[in-house]
Amino acid sequence: SSELTQDPAVSVALGQTVRITCQGDSLRSYYASWYQQKPGQAPVLVIYGKNNRPSGIPDRFSGSSSGNTASLTITGAQAEDEADYYCNSRDSSGNSEVFGGGTKLTVL
Amino acid sequence: QVQLQESGPGLVKPSQTLSLTCTVSGGSISSGSYYWSWIRQPAGKGLEWIGRIYTSGSTNYNPSLKSRVTISVDTSKNQFSLKLSSVTAADTAVYYCARAHSPGIASHWGQGTLVTVSS
């Protein structure tokens, strides 16, 4: 079982705001990174650290963290945001990494 | 722009060793401070972190795979490699290589390669 827990599926109406969460004890000590994966493609880093976006990632993507929960927020979701989203962080030992189980985002 | 490309056999027999190579282009694998990682994804399932090797040569592995995994670097070929021993059907997956500038922050990924374990 994964040490990072995500809801399997979330949906959002086009143009609305959605938050995808990731829970785990290690998140009390380490930031999560977030990856977007579309069918047949490699994952793409969208958020890392406290709230950092790699070059080319729209500013509608943002990240936050509180206690044992990290969140990825999409403000004004677009049709192209429909994808699987994975959180990643260190495990409880700090020596290795772990991915959450992933959240399938549907844009209605 | 750094690019990564996985290569290796697409079919491996049970109990044998899976060997994959990731070729790095657009930059030297030995320059800078990076974590060179392997991640896999069974069909229809989530991502699983396998392990990483740092520029210094130090390695970290997924505890659940540690006894079977070796990651190494060949600076002369600008490549890093994955070896997974005693494979079973459960090791069938798309295998990705990636470069991270900090643990968990992988900004560059290969396209992935499918490895099927079957006799």
Side-chain angles (χ1 to χ4, degrees):
Chain A
S1 63
S2 173
E3 295 185 37
L4 297 178
T5 301
Q6 298 182 242
D7 291 329
V10 171
S11 61
V12 61
L14 184 67
Q16 295 304 301
T17 296
V18 63
R19 185 170 66 180
I20 298 170
T21 61
C22 174
Q23 289 188 305
D25 286 342
S26 65
L27 298 179
R28 296 184 185 277
S29 304
Y30 305 106
Y31 286 117
S33 299
W34 290 92
Y35 296 88
Q36 176 193 69
Q37 186 181 34
K38 296 181 179 179
Q41 298 183 19
V44 173
L45 179 69
V46 294
I47 290 289
Y48 66 94
K50 188 174 183 180
N51 181 19
N52 300 297
R53 283 177 289 105
S55 174
I57 301 302
D59 61 5
R60 63 179 179 272
F61 290 88
S62 63
S64 62
S65 184
S66 178
N68 73 335
T69 302
S71 301
L72 171 70
T73 300
I74 307 174
T75 304
Q78 301 300 302
E80 60 263 33
D81 299 334
E82 186 163 288
D84 294 326
Y85 290 86
Y86 294 91
C87 59
N88 169 280
S89 188
R90 301 194 195 196
D91 73 350
S92 53
S93 75
N95 295 322
S96 61
E97 298 174 33
V98 63
F99 284 94
T103 297
K104 182 176 181 59
L105 176 65
T106 300
V107 180
L108 305 171
Chain B
Q1 174 73 321
V2 170
Q3 294 185 317
L4 293 82
Q5 177 69 59
E6 306 88 350
S7 61
L11 181 63
V12 180
K13 289 181 168 31
S15 80
Q16 294 190 341
T17 295
L18 178 159
S19 296
L20 295 175
T21 296
C22 183
T23 300
V24 179
S25 58
S28 171
I29 199 170
S30 57
S31 67
S33 301
Y34 296 107
Y35 296 84
W36 304 94
S37 305
W38 288 97
I39 300 101
R40 70 181 182 179
Q41 185 173 35
K45 296 187 178 182
L47 301 170
E48 180 179 29
W49 185 79
I50 299 171
R52 66 186 182 223
I53 186 164
Y54 188 51
T55 304
S56 65
S58 65
T59 54
N60 295 98
Y61 300 127
N62 185 324
S64 68
L65 299 171
K66 186 174 183 178
S67 63
R68 300 194 290 132
V69 174
T70 302
I71 297 175
S72 59
V73 167
D74 186 337
T75 55
S76 68
K77 295 182 179 179
N78 223 36
Q79 297 174 336
F80 65 106
S81 299
L82 168 70
K83 291 188 184 300
L84 181 66
S85 64
S86 304
V87 297
T88 69
D91 295 309
T92 294
V94 173
Y95 284 75
Y96 296 99
C97 60
R99 188 189 83 168
H101 61 267
S102 287
I105 304 176
S107 55
H108 295 80
W109 293 65
Q111 66 185 24
T113 187
L114 175 62
V115 178
T116 301
V117 178
S118 175
S119 54

